Amino acid sequence: MDLLLFALFFMACVAAGATGMLFPTGDWYKRLSKPTWVPPNWVFPVAWTSIYILMSFAGARVAVLDGAEYALAFWALQISFNTLWTPVFFGLRHWKGSLFAMAGLWLSVLGCTVTSFQLDLWAGLAFLPYLAWVTVAAALNWSVVQLNPDQKPLEIHTI
């Protein structure tokens, strides 16, 4: 595996993950009605750090292979949706709108998983925890929408 490629993919992941620092949870999130099965807060940074390392590993493995065009396109698409979801959900608090970003994320992670498996067993396996985590995140996103039907997105005031 090319360590420079790994580092480049990992930097993309870090940039996506930085949206969590830009749009942190707050008291408003604590007050939300959430399902009983929501993971404890400490799980999220552990899960995302592990997933970002695995995604970078998979990207670096497939990037050097012939026929990797679709896998790399799906990789780019999933990191874009990954980056988009946090500002929509936590920044705008537009939970219904975030479902569309989540659907795009889930489909692009599935596409990345399938195309990675077609090229390299280890790369495909590396995407399975991400697919599982995004499935849980989608269910949690859906549950928040269902459990908080009267919540309105933040109003954005422009100058």
Side-chain angles (χ1 to χ4, degrees):
M1 180 178 64
D2 184 320
L3 290 179
L4 180 56
L5 274 174
F6 174 86
L8 291 170
F9 280 106
F10 191 71
M11 283 189 285
C13 292
V14 169
T19 60
M21 291 186 301
L22 296 173
F23 303 101
T25 62
D27 288 335
W28 64 270
Y29 182 75
K30 292 175 188 168
R31 290 189 303 268
L32 280 179
S33 295
K34 295 183 278 298
T36 57
W37 50 266
V38 67
N41 289 340
W42 66 266
V43 171
F44 290 90
V46 172
W48 278 115
T49 300
S50 302
I51 288 166
Y52 285 155
I53 290 168
L54 290 168
M55 290 166 51
S56 301
F57 166 82
R61 285 189 64 92
V62 302
V64 297
L65 300 175
D66 289 337
E69 297 86 1
Y70 285 101
L72 293 175
F74 276 117
W75 203 102
L77 187 60
Q78 65 78 25
I79 203 66
S80 299
F81 279 117
N82 182 307
T83 304
L84 176 65
W85 184 87
T86 299
V88 175
F89 187 91
F90 290 109
L92 296 174
R93 300 181 198 165
H94 198 308
W95 301 312
K96 289 179 184 175
S98 68
L99 288 171
F100 291 103
M102 181 59 72
L105 177 58
W106 193 91
L107 289 169
S108 59
V109 171
L110 176 64
C112 213
T113 304
V114 170
T115 55
S116 292
F117 262 123
Q118 291 171 340
L119 295 166
D120 181 81
L121 174 65
W122 293 107
L125 289 172
F127 264 97
L128 290 178
Y130 188 17
L131 186 59
W133 184 253
V134 171
T135 300
V136 171
L140 181 56
N141 193 162
W142 176 258
S143 295
V144 167
V145 169
Q146 297 304 307
L147 293 170
N148 301 276
D150 298 328
Q151 290 292 123
K152 302 285 186 233
L154 286 182
E155 290 186 29
I156 305 300
H157 301 283
T158 58
I159 297 175

